[in-house]
Amino acid sequence: MKHKRILRYAAVGATIALLAGCSSIGGGDGNADNAGDLAPEDMTMVTVVKLTGIGWFDRMEEGVNAFAAETGIDARQEGGDDASPEKQVAILQNLIAQSPTAITVVPNSAEALESVLADARAAGIIVVSHEAAGIENVDADIEAFDNTWYGEQILINLAECMGDEGEYVSFVGGLTANTHMTWVEGALAEQEANYPNLTRVETPIESKEDETVAYERAKEVIAKHPNIKGFQGSAGTDVAGIARAVQEAGLQDQICVMGTSIPSVASKYLDDGAIDKIFFWDPALAGEAQLKIAQLFAQGDAVEEGTDLGIEGYESLKKLDGFDNVFVGEAAVIVDKDNVDEYNF
């Protein structure tokens, strides 16, 4: 991955500070049908994330702020203090009353948000989602890559680490988290097709997007399955929590831990082998990609096969097979202890 965009976020601090003083929605008529007439300074956009206060969405907020600074669009990020769908619904209901031009959202539960997102669109608000392939009441969903493929890649690497045999488990942030379930389903299908000597010994284990919960449940797995050789994590906090449990048990050399995280969260565990590899996409660039799609719609432009968002990893979008409004980029990154220092987030 190139680093010019990563470094760029540090240069927009002064502009971001000015924007951060605006706590309410301003400008824009919130009507997607008429939004083609809007100039950037007349647009307002809010990104609603799964929860605040964790590294993954702190990084996404950097992208939201950078987008605001570069475009002149009033853009900001909001989220609850836990990963409950109910808190996302309440935030979205409040935003609808304020009539922004667009809402972008990373759902905790796509199903739970369908009704409130339908209300947003009925009010003329553009809606773009991320990590929600298959959600219905959005104008578009943007994914960093094909999620089934991503799950397969985690399993392939995990199997290699495990010597192509042994017991493993899969963690998800929530059983209603569409992308997490797609990753573990893709991994299971790959394992059953090509790695007959691997066995997933539990149904997906829910961590509630909480590192401490992942830690406690990993300890339970190690106690229940003394021959466990592998963990697949999905939430950005999963592998760090799992790694704590593996470290405490002194099993860094016996258990392979892989899954989604970012370097700032995982690096200390990569050093001693408590985590073997992490897989991710830059949340900042994903935040920008959601907002760029919303901007294109607000300007009356189309998003289609081959659209270049001008964002690394999203230069030539592809439609996901079976969906009319789901687009995927090629933004996956794989990191181990040898290349983790190349990333500063």
Side-chain angles (χ1 to χ4, degrees), residues 224-235:
K224 182 178 179 181
H225 301 283
N227 296 319
I228 196 76
K229 288 183 65 178
F231 283 85
Q232 174 192 1
S234 299

Side-chain angles (χ1 to χ4, degrees), residues 171-174 205-211 213-214 217 235 237-238:
F171 279 42
V172 293
I205 297 168
E206 190 173 39
S207 68
K208 300 186 182 300
E209 302 271 350
D210 187 312
E211 182 178 325
V213 174
R217 294 188 176 170
T237 49
D238 281 351

Side-chain angles (χ1 to χ4, degrees), residues 265-313:
V265 173
S267 60
K268 65 182 179 180
Y269 298 112
L270 285 164
D271 286 343
D272 77 343
I275 296 175
D276 295 276
K277 288 184 181 180
I278 59 171
F279 303 72
F280 62 97
W281 61 106
D282 187 341
L285 300 183
E288 288 195 63
Q290 297 168 72
L291 291 164
K292 182 61 178 181
I293 289 175
Q295 181 185 9
L296 290 173
F297 287 149
Q299 293 172 335
D301 296 323
V303 176
E304 55 195 5
E305 186 93 12
T307 291
D308 181 359
L309 297 182
I311 297 168
E312 187 176 343

Side-chain angles (χ1 to χ4, degrees), residues 64-314:
V64 171
N65 290 338
F67 176 86
E70 291 186 0
T71 64
I73 293 172
D74 178 8
R76 73 168 191 268
Q77 180 170 297
E78 293 190 12
D81 57 6
D82 64 44
S84 68
E86 294 79 11
K87 288 189 178 177
Q88 277 194 315
V89 169
I91 290 169
L92 290 164
Q93 288 171 333
N94 182 58
L95 290 175
I96 291 169
Q98 300 178 53
S99 296
T101 308
I103 292 171
T104 70
V105 60
V106 188
N108 286 309
S109 167
E111 184 178 67
L113 298 193
E114 289 285 16
S115 178
V116 69
L117 294 180
D119 291 342
R121 296 183 74 202
I125 299 169
I126 297 163
V127 179
V128 178
S129 60
H130 175 57
E131 293 194 58
I135 194 169
E136 295 180 1
N137 288 302
V138 299
D139 294 283
D141 176 79
I142 178 67
E143 301 295 318
F145 36 68
D146 181 309
N147 286 300
T148 297
W149 169 87
Y150 182 77
E152 292 169 351
Q153 299 312 303
I154 295 174
L155 189 284
I156 290 167
N157 282 269
L158 185 64
E160 180 181 11
C161 180
M162 294 171 60
D164 292 346
E165 64 179 8
E167 300 175 346
Y168 75 101
V169 293
S170 298
F171 279 42
V172 293
L175 298 175
T176 59
N178 290 25
T179 50
H180 294 189
M181 294 303 293
T182 300
W183 298 340
V184 299
E185 288 163 3
L188 180 61
E190 173 69 20
Q191 176 253 300
E192 291 178 338
N194 295 309
Y195 299 94
N197 294 324
L198 263 64
T199 304
R200 194 178 80 179
V201 293
E202 300 275 352
T203 57
I205 297 168
E206 190 173 39
S207 68
K208 300 186 182 300
E209 302 271 350
D210 187 312
E211 182 178 325
T212 300
V213 174
Y215 162 71
E216 294 292 348
R217 294 188 176 170
K219 288 200 300 182
E220 293 169 5
V221 168
I222 292 170
K224 182 178 179 181
H225 301 283
N227 296 319
I228 196 76
K229 288 183 65 178
F231 283 85
Q232 174 192 1
S234 299
T237 49
D238 281 351
V239 292
I242 294 165
R244 284 174 56 199
V246 170
Q247 270 187 343
E248 286 185 4
L251 295 173
Q252 296 95 313
D253 294 334
Q254 285 76 48
I255 295 178
C256 298
V257 179
M258 298 187 183
T260 304
S261 189
I262 54 176
S264 61
V265 173
S267 60
K268 65 182 179 180
Y269 298 112
L270 285 164
D271 286 343
D272 77 343
I275 296 175
D276 295 276
K277 288 184 181 180
I278 59 171
F279 303 72
F280 62 97
W281 61 106
D282 187 341
L285 300 183
E288 288 195 63
Q290 297 168 72
L291 291 164
K292 182 61 178 181
I293 289 175
Q295 181 185 9
L296 290 173
F297 287 149
Q299 293 172 335
D301 296 323
V303 176
E304 55 195 5
E305 186 93 12
T307 291
D308 181 359
L309 297 182
I311 297 168
E312 187 176 343
Y314 303 89

